[in-house]
Amino acid sequence: MSGDARISRVAVVGAGRVGTAVARTLVDAGYCVTLSGSGDPADLELLAAVVAPGAHVAWTADAVASADLVIVSIPLHRLPTLDPSLLHGKLVVDAMNYWPPVDGRLDEFEEAAGGSSVVVQRLLAGATVVKTFNHVGYHDLEVDRRPAGHPQRLGLAVAGDSPAAVASVAELIDRIGYDPVTLPSLTDGRSLQPGGVVFGARLTAAEITLAVTRSAHDAAA
Amino acid sequence: MSNQSTPAVRREPRVTDPAPDGVHFGIGTFAFQPQEPDGSPTPGPQVIRDVIEEAVAAEQAGLDSFGIAEHYRPGMMDSAAPVILGAIAARTSTLRVGTAVTVLSTQDPVRVYNDFATLDAASGGRAQLIVGRGSAIESFPLFGFDLSDYEQLFEEKLDLLMRLLREQPVTWSGRFRPPLVDQVLEPQISPGGVPVWVGVGGSPQSVMRAARFGLPLMLGLIGGTLEHFKPLTDLYRRSLDALQQTQQPVGMHVHGYIADTDEEALERFWPVWSGTMNAEAPKRGWAPYRRERYEAEAIGGALFVGSPETVARRVASAMQTLGATRFDFVAAASRMPHTEKRDSIERFGREVVPRVRQLLAASDSNAGWPDVR
Amino acid sequence: MELGIGAFGDANRDPATGTRTSEAQAIRNVVESIVVAEQAGLDWFGLGEHHTPEFPVSAAATVLAAAAARTSRIKLSSAVTVLSTDDPVRVYEQYSTVDAISNGRVEMIPGRGSSIESFPLFGYDLREYDQLFAEKLDLLLEVNRSPRVTWEGTTRPALHGEYVPPRAEHGPIPIWLGVGGNPGSVIRAAQLGLPMATGVLGGSAIRSSSNADLYRHAAEKFGNTPEQTLVMLGSPGFLMRDGKKARDAWWPHWHQFMKVVGEQRGFAPPTRDSYDRDTAPQGGLLIGSPEEIAERIILMHQHWGHVRQYLHIDMGGVPQKDLLHAIELFGTEVRPLVQRELGATPVDVLMGRRPAPLAASA
Ligand SMILES: NC(=O)c1ccc[n+]([C@@H]2O[C@H](COP(=O)([O-])OP(=O)(O)OC[C@H]3O[C@@H](n4cnc5c(N)ncnc54)[C@H](OP(=O)(O)O)[C@@H]3O)[C@@H](O)[C@H]2O)c1
C-alpha cells in the first residue's frame, strides 16, 4: 500500500529536462534518487554524473521496484511505452503535461474533461497517482526553492484522490523547498496543467489557494 | 538503415570558423511584424526589407554574424531564411550569414545543402547554420510530418546533412527521405565549409546528441539562471571527451535590450517582453507574465537588459561561467519597430561588445577556457 | 516588347582555354550578370535550376535574392523552377520572400526544365512526371492565390488551412507556364488561364510559332482575357559588335554544350553547317550583331506575337567578360531598336498589374 510511509527512495522515470531538474532538487533535499530512461542505464551514466550528480541510474524496472515513490516525467505520448504493471501498487507522481506541439494530437487527452492525470490514472490503473510539478517550468524549479518560513517561499500544488498519498507527496514538496497546496482530487489538478489558473505562474501558497478557489467559484457561477 | 550508426567517431579539424580573438558576437532575429507608432502592423514584405537593413547595420557595428529563425505563421516573415540571407550576403562583405535555428526536422537535408552551399558561394564563404528540433508547432502539419517521430526525424536528418557537408558522393538510406545512391550535390563546397552548430534548449539529451555528432553547441537561454546551464555545458564537454571528439565551441543565444540606463532599459523593454510572453500565454496555457518575474530575469536570469555597461558585465561573466566563445544577442526581442531594433543592434555592436572583449581580456579566469580555438 | 536574359549559372570548361570556373564563382557570376543587365536597361532576368557540375545553381531563389539586394528595377524570375520534384509550399515561400526583398519584382516559370537529374535526387519516379507536375502546379496556383489552403493529393501531404507566409505584397506572383513544344502543354497553359513561356532552341526562328496560334485559339475557347493570354520566348543568344565574329566566337561553346547534351539524350552534336543555318537571318539561334538580332526579334514577333524575348546566354563556358559585354549590347543597342518598332509597353501593364514601385533600399 502506498501512502503514509515516509518517502526516502525516489525513482525518476524520464531523464529529460524535467526529470533531471527534479532529481537534482531531490538529491539536494537528501533523498535517494534513481534516474531511468527508456533503455540501458549505461547510456545515462555520464548524463547523471554531470547533470544530476548524486543520483543513481538503473533500468526502469529496477529503479521502480525499490522505490517508495515514482515520478514519471516522460513526454505524454510516450506513456504507452512504459509498462503499467511495473507501477502496480506504487505511489506515482504524474509530472507530465499534454503538450500538443510535442505530443501531437492525442484524442483521449483532448477530451479529458477531468484533466490529463485522470487519464494517466486510468492507464496506470494499479498505481496511486498524484499530480504535481506540472505547473512549474523545469528551469524555475531549482531557482525558486526557498527555506520553510521564508516570506517569498512559493507554493506547489499537489492534487490527488488519496489523502494519504497526497500527504506523503506534500511532505516531499515541503522538503525540497516549496509550500505544498493540497487539492483533494485528481480532477482539481486541472488547475496545474496548461490552460489552468496556476500553470506557468510563480505564486505563493496563498496565491495558489486564492486562484484555485476563484476559478472553482467562476466555474460554478 | 545506414543512419544512426556512424556519426559518433568522425573527427573533424574544425567545423566552425574562427572569429577575431576566438570570440564571436552575433545577432539572432525573428522577422516579427512589429507595430508602427499608429498601431498598425508593419507590412510583412517591409519587415523582410528591414531585416536586411538590420543585418547591414550589424556588420557596420562590427558584429560577426547574423542569424535568422524559421517560422510559418501570420506575423512572422522568416519562412525562407536562406533567401533573405542571400540578399544580406549581397549587401555585406564580412558578416557571417546564418540561421538561428533551421528546423531541420521538417526540412529535406538535400535542399538545406543546396540552399546553404548556394548561400556560401554567393557570400564568398560566409554561410553558417544552427540546426534544431524547433518548437514543432507549425512546420510539422505544414510539411506533413508526424510529431511522434520528433526525435528520430532530427537525428536522421542531422546525420544526412552532416554527411552531405563532409563527403560526397553520398550513398544513404533512412526512414524519412528517399535513398541517395552515389549522389553528388551542387554547388560543391569544401568539406566542413559551412559550419553547423546544434541549437539546444535545456534538454540534456540534445546536448549529448550535439556531442555525439561532434558539433559545436548553441544554448538558447529561455529561462532559469546561468548556473542552471552550467551542468549542461559540463555534460557537453565531458561527453565530447568520452566520445573522443575534438572539443568544440559553446555559444549562447540570448534575448535582451540596451538603453542609456538600467532603469530606462527595464521600462522600455517591459511592454515588449511581457507582450511577447503574454501573446504566447493563452496558446500555451501559461499564466500571465508578471513584473516581478521580469525583473528577476532581467537582473540575474536569462534576459540581458540594461545599460551597455551592465549588459557587457553580464555577458562577460556569462561567457566565463559557461566557457562560451560565442554570444548571439536577440536585440529587442525582434519585436520593436525597425529603427529601435536597429539602434539596439548598433549599441550592442558598438558599446557592449568592445567592452565585453575588454573585460574578457582583463580577466585571469580566461586561463580556464577550453581550448577550442 | 520587353527584353531580358536567361541564365543557368554556367560552370562548363571554356573550350578555348581548358579552364573551368569554380561552382561558387559561377553563382557569383550570375549575380554580376543581373546587375549588369539592369544597368544596360534590360527588363527581366530568369535563372534556371539544375543539380549538375556544369550548372550548379541548385537554389535559384537564394541567388535571385542576392541580385534583388543589388538592383532596383529589373524583373527577377525562375526559368524554370523544376516544380515536379519540389514542394510548392516551399517554392511559394521562397519566391514571395524574394518578392519582398525586390519590392514586387518577382515572377515564376514552373516547368519541366530540360534536365531530369532532380528526380533521383529527391526520390521521384520520372514515370510519374505528368501527375507530379499537374498536382504540384495546382497546389502552387492555390497557394499563390490564397494564404490558407485546404488541399489533398498524392504527391505531397495534405494541407488543412495552414498559413503559408510571407504573402506577396502586390497580390499573386505572376506565374508563366513553362512549355517545351508539346501542343498538349500549350493547351494546358490556356486551360489554366496562364501566360505561356516557351523557347526556340535552334532550327527556324518561326517554324514552331504555330504553337502561339494554338495557344491563342485555345485561350479564346476557354474564354481567357487578353491579360491572361501572353507569350514570352527564350532563345539561345550571344552578341558582339561584329556579327560574324560573334558567330565564330560562340561556335565552340555551343558545340561543346550540345555535344554534352547530345551524349546524354542520344543525338548527334551540331555541325558547323547546321550552326550556320541556325544563326542565319531566319534561324533560331540569336547570334550576331545588335542590328541583326534586333531584326530577328522583330521578324519573330510577326509570327509569335510575343511580349517578351529573352536570350539564354551562359552555356558552354563563355568567358564572363564576353557575356557581360553581350548583355550590355542587348540592353543598350538591341532594346531601343526593337522598342522603336514594337513599342515599350511593360508586361505588367499588359497583365493588368500595377508596375511595381521602384525600390528605395537598393
Ligand atoms: N519542460 C517543462 O518545463 C515542463 C514542465 C512541467 C511538465 N512538463 C512535462 O514533463 C514531461 C517531460 O518533459 P521534458 O521537457 O522533461 O521532456 P524531455 O526533455 O523531452 O525528456 C523526456 C525524457 O523521457 C525519456 N523517456 C521517453 N520514454 C521513456 C520511457 N518509456 N521510460 C523512461 N524514459 C522515457 C526520454 O529519454 P529517452 O527516450 O532518450 O530514453 C527523455 O529523456 C512532459 O510531459 C512535459 O509536458 C514539462
Side-chain angles (χ1 to χ4, degrees):
Chain A
M1 171 52 210
S2 54
D4 36 21
R6 223 184 128 94
I7 295 167
S8 69
R9 306 171 68 85
V10 184
V12 178
V13 178
R17 282 168 284 220
V18 172
T20 53
V22 168
R24 284 192 296 271
T25 61
L26 292 172
V27 169
D28 281 354
Y31 289 95
C32 172
V33 180
T34 306
L35 275 167
S36 74
S38 60
D40 192 330
D43 297 341
L44 281 181
E45 258 158 29
L46 179 64
L47 184 155
V50 179
V51 177
H56 308 277
V57 294
W59 291 93
T60 297
D62 300 335
V64 166
S66 58
D68 309 319
L69 169 69
V70 179
I71 298 178
V72 182
S73 53
I74 66 179
L76 207 41
H77 71 269
R78 299 284 293 272
L79 191 56
T81 66
L82 185 62
D83 176 2
S85 70
L86 296 177
L87 298 171
H88 200 89
K90 290 285 174 186
L91 171 55
V92 170
V93 161
D94 169 18
M96 298 175 288
N97 286 318
Y98 172 46
W99 196 252
V102 170
D103 293 317
R105 196 190 144 94
L106 304 174
D107 284 337
E108 50 190 337
F109 289 96
E110 284 286 332
E111 288 147 21
S116 62
S117 294
V118 171
V119 179
V120 171
Q121 174 68 82
R122 197 165 62 231
L123 296 172
L124 305 179
T128 305
V129 172
V130 171
K131 186 179 186 95
T132 188
F133 292 124
N134 318 71
H135 64 93
V136 55
Y138 75 95
H139 42 74
D140 292 329
L141 185 68
E142 294 160 274
V143 186
D144 285 349
R145 289 173 295 174
R146 308 267 189 288
H150 190 288
Q152 273 138 32
R153 198 182 207 219
L154 299 184
L156 265 184
V158 183
D161 294 333
S162 153
V166 168
S168 297
V169 174
E171 196 211 306
L172 173 143
I173 294 298
D174 184 39
R175 251 174 83 187
I176 67 170
Y178 291 86
D179 287 332
V181 177
T182 59
L183 303 174
S185 75
L186 264 188
T187 307
D188 290 326
R190 281 174 305 186
S191 299
L192 286 60
Q193 65 191 38
V197 284
V198 304
F199 183 73
R202 296 151 110 193
L203 305 175
T204 62
E207 288 167 330
I208 290 177
T209 308
L210 185 67
V212 171
T213 323
R214 261 212 209 121
S215 85
H217 181 82
D218 289 351
Chain B
M1 288 247 307
S2 65
N3 52 330
Q4 322 255 326
S5 49
T6 43
V9 286
R10 183 170 294 117
R11 276 165 171 276
E12 192 163 83
R14 172 129 222 117
V15 285
T16 185
D17 44 353
D21 43 323
V23 190
H24 174 130
F25 295 94
I27 293 295
T29 198
F30 311 134
F32 269 120
Q33 248 176 307
Q35 282 189 351
E36 296 293 302
D38 69 2
S40 63
T42 306
Q46 184 59 44
V47 171
I48 291 175
R49 296 189 283 272
D50 289 344
V51 166
I52 295 166
E53 296 308 317
E54 286 152 18
V56 171
E59 173 167 292
Q60 283 164 359
L63 292 166
D64 301 310
S65 68
F66 194 86
I68 299 176
E70 176 184 331
H71 295 87
Y72 305 88
R73 43 174 121 154
M76 296 188 80
M77 298 299 132
D78 49 0
S79 65
V83 175
I84 306 178
L85 294 168
I88 292 172
R91 300 273 316 277
T92 54
S93 56
T94 57
L95 192 70
R96 288 163 179 77
V97 286
T99 52
V101 304
T102 291
V103 184
L104 192 59
S105 314
T106 54
Q107 293 264 11
D108 177 359
V110 172
R111 291 272 180 209
V112 173
Y113 176 94
N114 290 157
D115 288 345
F116 284 83
T118 301
L119 177 66
D120 200 56
S123 64
R126 293 184 280 134
Q128 301 190 327
L129 271 160
I130 305 176
V131 297
R133 296 181 302 176
S135 114
I137 302 174
E138 330 98 1
S139 69
F140 279 72
L142 185 58
F143 300 109
F145 289 101
D146 189 340
L147 269 167
S148 59
D149 295 325
Y150 196 55
E151 296 294 332
Q152 298 93 307
L153 273 167
F154 185 71
E155 184 88 17
E156 177 175 310
K157 293 191 172 196
L158 183 56
D159 170 50
L160 175 54
L161 177 66
M162 293 320 297
R163 286 199 195 192
L164 297 173
L165 287 168
R166 283 167 174 164
E167 55 179 27
Q168 293 188 13
V170 173
T171 296
W172 178 94
S173 70
R175 258 182 76 194
F176 300 110
R177 179 204 196 285
L180 296 173
V181 181
D182 234 359
Q183 192 74 53
V184 174
L185 298 192
E186 302 301 332
Q188 288 284 294
I189 52 168
S190 53
V194 176
V196 177
W197 296 61
V198 177
V200 164
S203 148
Q205 276 78 15
S206 300
V207 166
M208 292 182 73
R209 180 186 297 113
R212 211 156 11 86
F213 278 91
L215 293 173
L217 181 74
M218 195 67 178
L219 282 171
L221 267 56
I222 36 120
T225 60
L226 289 169
E227 291 74 57
H228 176 85
F229 285 92
K230 178 79 177 126
L232 291 181
T233 52
D234 291 347
L235 175 65
Y236 173 64
R237 297 214 165 87
R238 290 185 48 184
S239 302
L240 284 170
D241 279 343
L243 295 161
Q244 302 188 333
Q245 299 271 19
T246 315
Q247 283 295 329
Q248 296 290 340
V250 169
M252 8 186 348
H253 186 260
V254 174
H255 286 267
Y257 184 70
I258 300 155
D260 288 341
T261 65
D262 290 353
E263 295 69 33
E264 187 192 338
L266 270 178
E267 281 320 309
R268 292 185 58 186
F269 195 50
W270 161 245
V272 180
W273 188 248
S274 60
T276 303
M277 298 304 278
N278 286 330
E280 287 293 300
K283 273 181 268 165
R284 306 205 176 200
W286 291 334
Y289 187 71
R290 299 196 304 178
R291 178 77 189 209
E292 303 133 61
R293 166 150 207 181
Y294 167 68
E295 285 180 8
E297 286 187 338
I299 289 161
L303 281 179
F304 284 54
V305 178
S307 68
E309 179 65 19
T310 302
V311 172
R313 285 187 176 281
R314 290 200 54 214
V315 172
S317 116
M319 290 176 80
Q320 282 167 336
T321 304
L322 299 183
T325 51
R326 173 172 178 181
F327 189 97
D328 282 12
F329 187 58
V330 186
S334 312
R335 274 271 186 194
M336 285 182 151
H338 166 57
T339 49
E340 285 184 60
K341 210 168 114 191
R342 198 193 50 211
D343 288 351
S344 196
I345 289 169
E346 284 174 347
R347 295 196 80 154
F348 179 68
R350 291 190 206 286
E351 299 173 36
V352 175
V353 170
R355 181 72 180 124
V356 177
R357 289 191 194 278
Q358 236 175 30
L359 290 165
L360 291 178
S363 160
D364 290 337
S365 57
N366 264 354
W369 282 25
D371 178 23
V372 291
R373 270 279 303 113
Chain C
M1 172 72 96
E2 287 191 355
L3 295 193
I5 298 291
F8 289 155
D10 183 27
N12 276 284
R13 200 172 297 284
D14 179 347
T17 62
T19 56
R20 195 182 155 229
T21 35
S22 74
E23 295 173 12
Q25 187 59 45
I27 285 168
R28 291 191 287 273
N29 285 348
V30 171
V31 177
E32 185 185 31
S33 297
I34 298 176
V35 171
V36 169
E38 168 162 302
Q39 284 163 359
L42 290 166
D43 303 287
W44 183 94
F45 200 105
L47 179 57
E49 170 192 335
H50 296 85
H51 302 263
T52 64
E54 292 79 25
F55 298 117
V57 176
S58 58
T62 298
V63 182
L64 291 174
R70 294 189 46 201
T71 53
S72 60
R73 201 187 48 76
I74 194 166
K75 283 265 157 62
L76 301 167
S77 179
S78 63
V80 302
T81 295
V82 187
L83 190 62
S84 311
T85 56
D86 211 327
D87 176 1
V89 171
R90 292 242 186 243
V91 169
Y92 178 82
E93 287 167 349
Q94 291 178 341
Y95 281 85
S96 65
T97 299
V98 185
D99 196 60
I101 294 166
S102 66
N103 276 285
R105 291 186 279 135
V106 160
E107 297 187 354
M108 276 186 263
I109 310 180
R112 176 166 201 152
S114 48
S115 30
I116 52 176
E117 71 277 353
S118 67
F119 279 79
L121 184 55
F122 298 108
Y124 291 101
D125 186 342
L126 253 176
R127 286 170 301 189
E128 287 166 18
Y129 173 80
D130 287 322
Q131 194 199 351
L132 282 166
F133 189 73
E135 254 198 20
K136 292 192 174 195
L137 179 61
D138 172 55
L139 177 56
L140 180 67
L141 295 174
E142 284 278 326
V143 171
N144 191 34
R145 264 193 294 268
S146 47
R148 291 185 188 275
V149 168
T150 297
W151 180 92
E152 216 179 304
T154 59
T155 57
R156 189 213 185 276
L159 291 172
H160 310 280
E162 286 89 353
Y163 188 74
V164 181
R167 305 307 303 173
E169 214 164 11
H170 308 286
I173 294 172
I175 293 179
W176 300 67
L177 189 64
V179 168
N182 176 323
S185 308
V186 172
I187 293 172
R188 177 157 59 184
Q191 188 171 13
L192 292 166
L194 295 176
M196 175 171 85
T198 187
V200 178
L201 299 176
S204 155
I206 51 184
R207 197 191 53 224
S208 48
S209 68
S210 56
N211 272 338
D213 301 333
L214 175 63
Y215 172 66
R216 293 199 179 84
H217 279 118
E220 200 175 318
K221 175 168 158 265
F222 292 115
N224 297 348
T225 64
E227 287 79 13
Q228 288 172 293
T229 312
L230 302 173
V231 176
M232 117 161 83
L233 219 50
S235 318
F238 182 69
L239 297 96
M240 287 170 74
R241 176 135 341 268
D242 179 316
K244 178 164 181 332
K245 280 197 182 135
R247 287 183 283 276
D248 288 343
W250 173 263
W251 162 244
H253 302 288
W254 178 246
H255 178 77
Q256 165 177 288
F257 172 70
M258 291 304 280
K259 187 164 160 272
V260 173
V261 178
E263 278 161 7
Q264 286 162 359
R265 308 203 197 147
F267 59 76
T271 61
R272 181 69 203 220
D273 270 359
S274 67
Y275 175 73
D276 288 341
R277 193 185 57 233
D278 288 357
T279 53
Q282 302 251 319
L285 298 180
L286 273 56
I287 320 290
S289 69
E291 295 74 21
E292 288 165 345
I293 300 310
E295 255 173 52
R296 189 91 50 90
I297 292 172
I298 293 162
L299 169 75
M300 288 165 80
H301 182 264
Q302 290 166 9
H303 294 83
W304 287 93
H306 55 317
V307 297
R308 183 186 283 146
Q309 170 75 47
Y310 69 93
L311 293 191
H312 244 300
I313 196 156
D314 64 340
M315 291 173 260
V318 181
Q320 174 73 356
K321 70 169 184 359
D322 297 344
L323 287 183
L324 295 181
H325 185 57
I327 292 172
E328 259 168 40
L329 291 175
F330 194 52
T332 55
E333 305 205 4
V334 177
R335 187 171 178 272
L337 290 172
V338 169
Q339 292 196 337
R340 203 170 58 206
E341 284 297 310
L342 302 177
T345 315
V347 169
D348 267 341
V349 172
L350 298 172
M351 285 186 153
R353 290 187 112 222
R354 209 161 27 90
L358 286 189
S361 63

